[in-house]
Amino acid sequence: MIQELVWATSLTLMAVLALVFIWVAFKARIELPDYGPAIASAYQKRTWLFGLAMVILIWANYRTLSHLPYVSSSAAQGSAATVQPVEVVGNQWSWTITPSNLKAGQTAEFHVTSTDVNHGFAVYDPDMRIVAQTQAMPGYINKLRYTFTKPGTYRVLCLEYCGVAHHQMAADITVAAR
Amino acid sequence: MTIQANEVTIRSDEGRSLISARAAVLAYLAVCGLVLLLMMLLGLTMRLAQAQWITVQPDFFYVVMTMHGAGMVGITGLAGAAVMWHFVRRYVPVSTAVFVTNLVFFLIGAAFILGAGFLGGFAGGWTFLFPLPAHSGALWSVNAAASYMIGLLIIGTGFLLLHLDVARGILSVYGGLASGLGVKQAFGLAPEKNGPPPAVTASTMVSIVNILGILVGAAVLVISLVNLYVPSFTFNALLAKNLIYFFGHVFINATIYMAVIAVYEILPVFTHRAWKANRAFYFAWVLSTLMVLTVYPHHLLMDFAMPTWALVAGQVISWLSGLPVLLVTAFGALTNVYRSGIKWNATAGLAFLGVAGWAIGVIPAIADGTIEINSVMHNTQWVPGHFHTYLLLGMVAMFLSFVTYIGTTGSSALASVAFWLYTIGGSVFVLAFLSGGAVSVPRRYAVHLPEWLPYDRVGSVGAALVIAGALIFVLGFLAKLPSVSASESDA
Ligand code: HEM
Ligand SMILES: [Cu+2]
């Protein structure tokens, strides 16, 4: 699950940075008589850090940009030959989803829009983890593809603040076993 | 040479202003401290409500959410302005009258906004995302929404005047905004040692981006206001969202770029090492200026109707924007402090914490700026998780460092207790948001599912500790205020 990976990686990097700050703070009480060489070597290290950061940056962007969720992108195009269109309309404060019964293994192509304000169409799996989302915006139809692998009841929650009943704007999508 | 010129101008300026520069800064700090505390209490109210430890009706929750968002963004803007103005005045002539005008406009605008929320029930979110303000579901009136937007316009006008005045001051000494920023130094076309001091570089950057940001914000506010009263006058929702997030992103980021001036000026006082503005420093600020203006599409990654190139650029620029923060500002603070023989107190500690909070907050921010990750993290509590990290543990920590520096209240035992309450409470508070986001807890939900309550409860405890720390700093400053304002020295 992507969320777990992101959380673990972020937490590790945040902890490493925090430890660097803590270490420098504690070491700082004892004065270094000759600061010049220390700073020179620090700046040398920074050049290396910069290089490392660029390598990570290019690698990570290359990897993640090949998985764009947009239907116009080639990754999504190739994902399924046949898609099941699903019309999704949000309005304050409910969803209309047709059809809302799907089969496992099917790739749904949600056509998402809104009749009033901005809403957020987010699909939660039966464990209540987000698996895909797009915005529902008046005047636009956003196309989102998702292939349902596990059967069960998926929950749709609104993820764009849309007024005082925003948290009640939910619906179900049932995915039957093949 | 310039110093002398400054002194002359500053004096002549004081003659025209009713209150002294020092009194004006103290007034800013008192207002900012108090409003910050009040807004924090609104934040705690939301956390306690989500934790189901108190009962808050959803319509009121969203009023509180709107007021907390707008109030915090506004007050951190004001707090940042106080820091920037106090220090940039050492290098360029600025008008005390304009500085005070901004505070007055802020208070008037705040009255409109608070009235809209607490009397009019306005709960359109601080980002007033078009066309929500006009679609309340009969819960707030058109006038309440208008009052909110007029309040923002008044506050924006004050800031616009202030930034124009600072820009004028910079122009009068450096001749151009590019020289104020240190563009020549950045590209090695002029010697580093002739470059502007860090405070001037930062102030130039903020003038540039905030003048643009506020103008765009004002335009979309006017459009929204017309739409409120003339519903047949509609506007493209996607374009409105672009304009709003351009303004919002620039304005909130500028608060950090103003507050970090306190770090540049205060840490060296404790470490006895000058904060060197070298070529990398200028280069980082030039890049940041460009990136802060172009990175905002990362707020629209789930708007599939956006041109894909803009969203891809949003992701790549998000990653790049982390580099100046981590490799220049964080690195600069670390090397400045490294084995300096510093005697820590709360003032120095908060400045150092501020840089740490900013740098650490960049990591979850970059994660969320990645399209593939944004697909499953957007508008979850991951988002308040990352921005409270660099605002609460970053920007506000820098500001509190400044408050204890001006109030000379950083060395007491109570201040170190407050420092640890703030640091530990703040860390618990932001980690609760981030871990909630990792399990898909939505942001901006008045009512949470039972399985989300543990995160909300841990977050509430963290919030209470942070507020206790902030309370000690602010009350300590207010108690010292009479003697501080009596002192003649205009440091
Ligand atoms: C003790 C300190 C603070 C507490 C307890 C607190 C609490 C909260 C809570 C509970 C939320 C709503 C989270 C959700 O969407 O579920 C929130 C949102 C927010 N907070 Fe804070 N906060 C604090 C400090 C700050 C600071 C220093 C800033 C600085 C700018 C800030 C800016 C915001 C903004 C902009 C939002 C978004 C509002 C929205 O979603 O419309 N907060 N805060
Ligand atoms: Cu909603």
Side-chain angles (χ1 to χ4, degrees):
Chain A
M1 184 131 276
I2 172 167
Q3 283 97 327
E4 260 107 66
L5 180 66
V6 170
W7 180 216
T9 315
S10 302
L11 201 59
T12 309
L13 290 174
M14 289 165 74
V16 168
L17 254 181
L19 287 175
V20 170
F21 274 89
I22 293 170
W23 179 74
V24 169
F26 276 97
K27 282 276 249 183
R29 293 165 202 264
I30 317 137
E31 191 171 348
L32 192 69
D34 196 3
Y35 180 53
I39 187 104
S41 95
Y43 278 105
Q44 215 163 15
K45 287 196 192 92
R46 179 165 76 174
T47 312
W48 282 102
L49 274 178
F50 177 75
L52 182 68
M54 286 311 282
V55 170
I56 295 175
L57 193 151
I58 291 167
W59 173 79
N61 278 281
Y62 177 76
R63 286 290 302 267
T64 58
L65 287 175
S66 53
H67 295 136
L68 292 183
Y70 314 127
V71 170
S72 56
S73 76
S74 53
Q77 293 266 305
S79 66
T82 53
V83 295
Q84 165 69 51
V86 180
E87 305 304 321
V88 178
V89 181
N91 68 346
Q92 284 171 321
W93 287 279
S94 63
W95 294 105
T96 315
I97 302 173
T98 26
S100 62
N101 293 304
L102 300 168
K103 282 210 185 63
Q106 252 179 351
T107 297
E109 185 176 281
F110 297 102
H111 301 168
V112 183
T113 189
S114 159
T115 52
D116 42 38
V117 301
N118 293 292
H119 300 280
F121 173 78
V123 182
Y124 279 69
D125 72 7
D127 301 326
M128 283 307 277
R129 295 292 184 279
I130 299 171
V131 291
Q133 68 170 305
T134 188
Q135 291 276 303
M137 183 177 267
Y140 288 91
I141 295 172
N142 289 330
K143 288 186 188 164
L144 170 72
R145 281 192 192 163
Y146 182 71
T147 305
F148 289 90
T149 47
K150 275 187 296 182
T153 304
Y154 288 69
R155 200 94 179 114
V156 171
L157 297 188
C158 181
L159 280 196
E160 187 59 73
Y161 176 63
C162 57
V164 295
H166 164 57
H167 57 282
Q168 286 170 357
M169 193 170 154
D172 284 339
I173 294 175
T174 36
V175 176
R178 257 194 275 214
Chain B
M1 186 193 88
T2 43
I3 305 281
Q4 265 173 345
N6 289 346
E7 261 158 23
V8 173
T9 342
I10 290 160
R11 288 224 180 79
S12 67
D13 171 63
E14 304 250 290
R16 276 184 280 121
S17 176
L18 286 174
I19 87 173
S20 75
R22 183 173 177 79
V25 170
L26 293 176
Y28 262 72
L29 296 192
V31 169
C32 291
L34 284 172
V35 177
L36 206 52
L37 281 179
L38 283 176
M39 292 301 134
M40 285 181 167
L41 290 174
L42 292 186
L44 179 63
T45 307
M46 281 188 281
R47 223 57 190 105
L48 291 171
Q50 290 172 332
Q52 296 179 12
W53 274 340
I54 61 170
T55 312
V56 174
Q57 292 310 311
D59 50 353
F60 188 65
F61 177 96
Y62 293 120
V63 169
V64 169
M65 185 186 87
T66 304
M67 295 296 112
H68 173 80
M72 277 299 191
V73 172
I75 205 65
T76 49
L78 201 70
V83 172
M84 172 181 74
W85 194 82
H86 176 83
F87 289 114
V88 82
R89 219 178 138 254
R90 294 180 175 173
Y91 312 104
V92 305
V94 283
S95 152
T96 307
V98 171
F99 184 57
V100 174
T101 305
N102 181 38
L103 180 60
V104 173
F105 274 42
F106 182 88
L107 294 172
I108 297 171
F112 274 84
I113 291 173
L114 291 171
F118 291 117
L119 304 177
F122 178 72
W126 86 269
T127 50
F128 55 93
L129 194 57
F130 182 86
L132 180 57
H135 293 253
S136 73
L139 277 143
W140 64 80
S141 64
V142 164
N143 291 338
S147 172
Y148 175 81
M149 294 183 196
I150 291 169
L152 284 189
L153 277 172
I154 295 173
I155 291 177
T157 308
F159 275 103
L160 190 60
L161 292 174
L162 179 72
H163 291 303
L164 286 170
D165 183 59
V166 170
R168 184 194 51 79
I170 292 168
L171 288 178
S172 75
V173 175
Y174 292 90
L177 290 178
S179 332
L181 204 54
V183 173
K184 280 200 177 136
Q185 283 74 17
F187 292 100
L189 303 172
E192 285 172 356
K193 60 179 191 305
N194 297 349
V200 171
T201 300
S203 303
T204 309
M205 181 269 211
V206 171
S207 305
I208 296 171
V209 302
N210 254 4
I211 290 171
L212 293 172
I214 291 170
L215 288 175
V216 169
V220 67
L221 277 168
V222 170
I223 289 165
S224 302
L225 267 171
V226 175
N227 170 263
L228 278 179
Y229 290 101
V230 190
S232 60
F233 172 86
T234 57
F235 192 68
N236 182 301
L238 188 58
L239 180 55
K241 192 172 178 181
N242 274 271
L243 299 176
I244 288 172
Y245 280 104
F246 173 79
F247 150 72
H249 180 89
V250 164
F251 192 84
I252 194 65
N253 275 271
T255 69
I256 312 178
Y257 291 114
M258 292 189 275
V260 75
I261 299 172
V263 179
Y264 295 150
E265 298 275 345
I266 295 175
L267 260 192
V269 173
F270 287 86
T271 60
H272 305 293
R273 288 178 186 159
W275 193 297
K276 275 207 310 189
N278 51 23
R279 187 172 163 189
F281 175 91
Y282 294 117
F283 193 68
W285 277 89
V286 173
L287 271 187
S288 294
T289 309
L290 298 175
M291 291 193 298
V292 94
L293 293 173
T294 50
V295 78
Y296 83 90
H298 68 195
H299 295 276
L300 288 95
L301 300 178
M302 290 301 108
D303 281 285
F304 291 14
M306 282 288 284
T308 304
W309 63 263
L311 302 181
V312 169
Q315 163 169 338
V316 175
I317 300 170
S318 299
W319 279 74
L320 283 172
S321 336
L323 294 181
V325 181
L326 292 171
L327 291 175
V328 178
T329 302
F331 203 84
L334 289 168
T335 48
N336 193 270
V337 165
Y338 178 75
R339 301 211 38 195
S340 59
I342 189 173
K343 296 205 170 43
W344 286 109
N345 72 358
T347 304
L350 284 165
F352 198 61
L353 170 67
V355 178
W358 188 14
I360 291 170
V362 159
I363 289 164
I366 288 180
D368 194 43
T370 309
I371 297 167
E372 194 187 352
I373 298 172
N374 196 263
S375 277
V376 294
M377 296 289 213
H378 181 61
N379 280 350
T380 66
Q381 287 204 332
W382 187 267
V383 180
H386 78 65
F387 73 67
H388 282 92
T389 308
Y390 51 72
L391 291 172
L392 182 68
L393 290 174
M395 189 280 162
V396 176
M398 296 172 193
F399 173 67
L400 290 174
S401 167
F402 181 65
V403 169
T404 59
Y405 173 73
I406 297 290
T408 60
T409 49
S411 296
S412 66
L414 195 58
S416 40
V417 173
F419 173 81
W420 289 110
L421 283 172
Y422 194 88
T423 308
I424 294 169
S427 308
V428 170
F429 171 67
V430 298
L431 286 170
F433 268 148
L434 289 171
S435 48
V439 297
S440 299
V441 180
R443 73 181 286 202
R444 295 172 158 168
Y445 263 38
V447 182
H448 278 187
L449 294 179
E451 64 256 41
W452 299 335
L453 298 189
Y455 302 96
D456 305 332
R457 295 190 168 163
V458 172
S460 299
V461 173
L465 296 179
V466 154
I467 295 174
L471 188 72
I472 295 174
F473 287 127
V474 172
L475 292 186
F477 173 78
L478 293 177
K480 209 58 183 299
L481 198 52
S483 67
V484 177
S485 52
S487 86
E488 269 301 298
S489 83
D490 195 353

